[in-house]
Amino acid sequence: MCILSFAPPVTHAHFSNPLSPMFILRRPHLTRHLRFSRNNRVASAVSAAAVRQDATLWTPAPLSLVESAAESLFHISIDISNSPDLVASYTRPGQYLQLRVPYVERPSFLAIASPPSFAASNGAFEFLVKSIAGSTAEILCGLKKGETVELSSVMGNGFDVDQIDPPREYPTVLIFATGSGISPIRSLIETGFGADRRSDVRLYYGARNLKRMAYQERFKEWESSGVKVVPVLSQPDDGWRGETGYVQAAFARAKQVSDPSATGVVLCGHRQMAEEITAMLAADGVSNNKMLKNF
């Protein structure tokens, strides 16, 4: 999931005065009244915008882990054991929340990487965060264990896997992720969606090179659950013998969609990748409502 930031629009009120200059000179007390009313209206508008901005319920929570996951990517774990409502609000892989760091008003939107069961049993949310220069995410990745951040409530509908159930009717599931977009895909795989009861489940996971590819230590576990992992490197080091280029190109070379009506798709990552894969599979006859996204 891409990291997004939103700020409420600032509107500027403009006022015109239909009164003649002579009338204004003769009635100075009315002029003062008009100015006072105008200032009140502007102040009220600013106050209302501030209220809308602060309407989000923020929960303070300490960091329990900050460590490198890959080049420019960080594992972040946040202790939410004292926030049972927050734990309970995370029900489906692909959901996300807003996160604020100290002294920075603008939040980051982050997909939760750990499955809902992990939050329930361990009282923590885990994230895979890309450190982008000048962003809230960069500040977050520079914090230390024990420092406090603020979390919004869990948001979004996540991946609606009911659309590709039961497994016997959708034996093929194609999963596509790039960069930190693997974060909610991890949650999906580790939550489980009947991959071991399907005949063809493939994960095409794209990164620049192996140094930028997170979760490699989880690949064997994912494959044992029924997911074939296909790493795709756009700028591989010498000696790489796997798939190269972009995810959509690697998939186009393999294709092998035997029955579009029995195929489900999950996408998370770069917009261009998602758009090209969607167009490619739609042209092959895969239904749009069987292509799952978390936004």
Side-chain angles (χ1 to χ4, degrees):
M1 180 179 178
C2 298
I3 301 172
L4 307 176
S5 297
F6 294 93
V10 178
T11 57
H12 300 277
H14 297 275
F15 298 89
S16 60
N17 195 329
L19 304 177
S20 69
M22 183 60 71
F23 184 85
I24 294 172
L25 288 173
R26 289 178 179 176
R27 303 292 296 275
H29 64 282
L30 181 56
T31 304
R32 288 194 299 271
H33 173 74
L34 289 171
R35 288 174 179 168
F36 180 76
S37 298
R38 181 186 66 181
N39 291 339
N40 272 354
R41 288 193 294 271
V42 172
S44 296
V46 172
S47 297
V51 168
R52 288 194 298 272
Q53 184 177 12
D54 293 338
T56 302
L57 177 63
W58 296 99
T59 300
L63 296 172
S64 53
L65 176 70
V66 181
E67 68 177 17
S68 176
E71 190 175 295
S72 78
L73 294 171
F74 287 79
H75 290 301
I76 305 288
S77 182
I78 300 176
D79 183 355
I80 55 169
S81 57
N82 292 325
S83 306
D85 290 346
L86 198 55
V87 172
S89 68
Y90 180 34
T91 60
R92 183 183 280 178
Q95 289 182 295
Y96 54 92
L97 49 67
Q98 296 180 74
L99 180 148
R100 291 197 309 196
V101 300
Y103 313 112
V104 178
E105 290 187 6
R106 178 170 292 183
S108 279
F109 282 71
L110 300 175
I112 304 171
S114 48
S117 60
F118 182 88
S121 61
N122 293 274
F125 284 157
E126 293 186 341
F127 302 89
L128 180 67
V129 181
K130 182 176 182 179
S131 179
I132 300 173
S135 70
T136 299
E138 180 186 34
I139 299 171
L140 170 63
C141 295
L143 297 179
K144 305 298 182 184
K145 177 180 177 180
E147 293 192 76
T148 299
V149 296
E150 292 181 311
L151 305 178
S152 73
S153 58
V154 176
M155 309 166 71
N157 296 321
F159 297 119
D160 186 6
V161 294
D162 291 343
Q163 295 292 327
I164 54 174
D165 267 344
R168 66 178 180 275
E169 294 183 15
Y170 299 94
T172 298
V173 175
L174 305 170
I175 307 171
F176 302 91
T178 53
S180 59
I182 194 65
S183 181
I185 299 301
R186 172 198 157 189
S187 178
L188 174 69
I189 293 172
E190 295 181 7
T191 295
F193 58 99
D196 59 342
R197 290 178 283 130
R198 304 178 196 260
S199 59
D200 180 16
V201 180
R202 285 173 268 161
L203 165 61
Y204 291 86
Y205 175 18
R208 180 178 299 178
N209 52 48
L210 287 176
K211 292 179 181 178
R212 289 181 174 246
M213 181 167 278
Y215 297 150
Q216 293 178 55
E217 72 282 1
R218 295 179 178 272
F219 288 177
K220 286 185 178 180
E221 178 186 344
W222 293 355
E223 294 213 334
S224 68
S225 73
V227 178
K228 180 183 178 181
V229 180
V230 183
V232 184
L233 305 182
S234 61
Q235 297 178 26
D237 297 329
D238 293 340
W240 173 249
R241 294 293 179 265
E243 291 289 344
T244 59
Y246 293 117
V247 163
Q248 54 270 44
F251 173 67
R253 289 192 293 270
K255 227 32 173 329
Q256 298 173 350
V257 178
S258 57
D259 185 357
S261 66
T263 298
V265 181
V266 184
L267 299 134
C268 192
H270 295 155
R271 178 179 295 179
Q272 182 178 351
M273 178 275 290
E275 290 176 348
E276 291 185 15
I277 291 290
T278 298
M280 195 183 307
L281 288 169
D284 284 345
V286 178
S287 172
N288 277 322
N289 63 5
K290 306 304 178 185
M291 301 190 203
L292 311 184
K293 302 173 185 177
N294 68 327
F295 55 89

